[in-house]
Amino acid sequence: MGNLQDQDLSSRIANTLALRCVAHRLFEVSGVEDVRPAIDWSQASGLPLCPLGAGSNVVLPPELAAGVITVRDDSVSVLSETADSVTLRVGAGKGWHSLVSETLQNGFYGLENLALIPGLVGAAPVQNIGAYGRELNEFVVAVHGVSLHSGEPRSLSSEECEFAYRDSVFKHDLRDKFLISHVDFCLSKVPVVNVEYPALRSSLADGENSPTAVFEAVVALRRERLPNPDEIPNAGSFFKNPILSRKQLEKLQFIEPEVPVYPVAGEQFKVSAAWLIERAGLPGFSKGPASISEQHALVLVTNGKAYQADVRELAKHVQGVVKGRFTVMLEPEPRFYD
Ligand SMILES: Cc1cc2nc3c(=O)[nH]c(=O)nc-3n(C[C@H](O)[C@H](O)[C@H](O)COP(=O)(O)OP(=O)(O)OC[C@H]3O[C@@H](n4cnc5c(N)ncnc54)[C@H](O)[C@@H]3O)c2cc1C
């Protein structure tokens, strides 16, 4: 375990927006058995522990008054197998995209639509990552980890994770209280594909719908549409797609009859945050070192010299313009830390 003081998190490895940030302490653990010294430090210093992965979904402050704790275990093991399916246990420190590529190469299918999402496996259940018509919760059997207060190990079934759109119990009751050490996934050994997402379907040639074709199409679409955080610092989609009640939708449609609408469960309707931002003419808009990407309206980028306050100011501006024009409040997807 390394526990160096005043950890500079400005490097893009731990922070893809490349914000200036120094944490009080960094604990790198290889498993639940290593967590005790971090808990002791937290209790002695009175500062909280803050789990982090690759920092691709966080907006960090200049000084993070916490001990950052990160899991380095990138193991993958087979827990059980039938003729049709396999259950894998994966360490929280495994790179998400490596897992997607390796499972595909091994003939374990399902994760292809989620290719090229940055970050580590341990963070994937936190916001129930999703893309191109698939969400993580379709594959999670259980999430294992440790209480950051008592040091007690605990396992949660998929149901106990309370997965929802970009949401889970790890963003609410268990926020900063639980370190995810492993995730169990059930994947298919029989090739299965989901090509319902319109942009994905139209990028595949007729009849070309193998898991490998889906993986390659998703990688190509993402490379074309999203700025690469290694070149242009960003945290992916900066705002969630708003989910509206019928009454809210009718209000919006009165102003913008052409707004694309995707019905979700019950009387709820998802609208595209990117469409609203684009319609408001915000792509390319800058506030100091932070701007709205011209390549993708939903992505907020920095020039590598930004602070959290710059990002907050731009996000507030976008929220104000969109609310003023369309009566819809956008909610940021990445987490802002105090
Ligand atoms: C270019 C780009 C594209 C993206 N595209 C998508 C996309 O298509 N779909 C999507 O859903 N997301 C997307 N994201 C967001 C991001 O990649 C995911 O949310 C990812 O899961 C974050 O992983 P991370 O390791 O970087 O987590 P971090 O940013 O380090 O942490 C995110 C949250 O998870 C918590 N956390 C991290 N590790 C642990 C752990 N071991 N135990 C407990 N809590 C933990 C942190 O406390 C924090 O609240 C994108 C981001 C970028 C930069």
Side-chain angles (χ1 to χ4, degrees), residues 55-75:
S56 64
N57 211 22
V58 292
V59 186
L60 297 170
E63 185 189 344
L64 184 60
V68 165
I69 184 160
T70 184
V71 178
R72 289 292 174 218
D73 179 357
D74 62 356
S75 61

Side-chain angles (χ1 to χ4, degrees), residues 243-246 262-270:
I243 310 241
L244 307 181
S245 66
R246 180 169 290 281
Y262 310 93
V264 286
E267 279 289 273
Q268 295 200 303
F269 305 88
K270 196 192 276 185

Side-chain angles (χ1 to χ4, degrees), residues 162 166-177:
E162 297 172 18
R166 301 291 186 273
D167 205 14
S168 74
V169 71
F170 308 107
K171 281 193 173 183
H172 301 280
D173 290 359
L174 294 183
R175 186 166 114 156
D176 294 341
K177 294 187 183 124

Side-chain angles (χ1 to χ4, degrees), residues 95-112:
W96 174 258
H97 181 68
S98 312
L99 177 69
V100 177
S101 327
E102 287 167 28
T103 50
L104 177 63
Q105 277 160 23
N106 282 292
F108 304 150
Y109 307 114
L111 302 180
E112 300 76 30

Side-chain angles (χ1 to χ4, degrees), residues 16 51-58 71 92 117-120 122-124 126-131 166 176 178-180 222 226-227 229 234-237 333 335 337:
T16 60
L52 269 191
S56 64
N57 211 22
V58 292
V71 178
I117 297 180
L120 305 183
V126 175
Q127 81 148 356
N128 185 25
I129 56 169
R166 301 291 186 273
D176 294 341
F178 186 73
L179 182 71
I180 296 170
R222 293 185 70 99
L226 290 169
N234 74 84
S237 303
E333 188 181 298
R335 176 170 163 199
Y337 284 77

Side-chain angles (χ1 to χ4, degrees), residues 195-242:
V195 292
E196 277 162 35
Y197 195 88
L200 175 58
R201 199 171 48 234
S202 56
S203 74
L204 289 164
D206 273 349
E208 189 195 31
N209 63 358
S210 66
T212 303
V214 170
F215 173 87
E216 285 168 0
V218 168
V219 168
L221 279 168
R222 293 185 70 99
R223 289 214 166 112
E224 184 190 306
R225 292 176 165 204
L226 290 169
N228 177 350
D230 290 338
E231 289 157 15
I232 304 173
N234 74 84
S237 303
F238 201 84
F239 295 100
K240 294 185 197 176
N241 289 320

Side-chain angles (χ1 to χ4, degrees), residues 28-180:
E28 293 184 322
V29 301
S30 48
V32 292
E33 55 293 340
D34 285 351
V35 173
R36 181 44 63 191
I39 294 175
D40 291 344
W41 172 85
S42 171
Q43 284 168 355
S45 65
L47 293 173
L49 289 171
C50 160
L52 269 191
S56 64
N57 211 22
V58 292
V59 186
L60 297 170
E63 185 189 344
L64 184 60
V68 165
I69 184 160
T70 184
V71 178
R72 289 292 174 218
D73 179 357
D74 62 356
S75 61
V76 180
S77 56
V78 174
L79 282 186
S80 63
E81 208 165 352
T82 67
D84 295 342
S85 69
V86 63
T87 303
L88 301 177
R89 176 160 297 171
V90 185
K94 178 85 180 162
W96 174 258
H97 181 68
S98 312
L99 177 69
V100 177
S101 327
E102 287 167 28
T103 50
L104 177 63
Q105 277 160 23
N106 282 292
F108 304 150
Y109 307 114
L111 302 180
E112 300 76 30
N113 301 51
L114 305 176
L116 221 59
I117 297 180
L120 305 183
V121 164
V126 175
Q127 81 148 356
N128 185 25
I129 56 169
Y132 294 98
R134 284 272 202 212
E135 282 187 335
L136 184 90
N137 65 299
E138 297 168 54
F139 309 100
V140 171
V141 180
V143 172
H144 309 279
V146 57
S147 158
L148 287 173
H149 292 156
S150 65
E152 283 296 312
R154 179 180 168 195
S155 298
L156 289 92
S157 65
S158 182
E159 212 166 53
E160 287 171 310
C161 293
E162 297 172 18
F163 289 123
Y165 168 63
R166 301 291 186 273
D167 205 14
S168 74
V169 71
F170 308 107
K171 281 193 173 183
H172 301 280
D173 290 359
L174 294 183
R175 186 166 114 156
D176 294 341
K177 294 187 183 124
F178 186 73
L179 182 71
I180 296 170

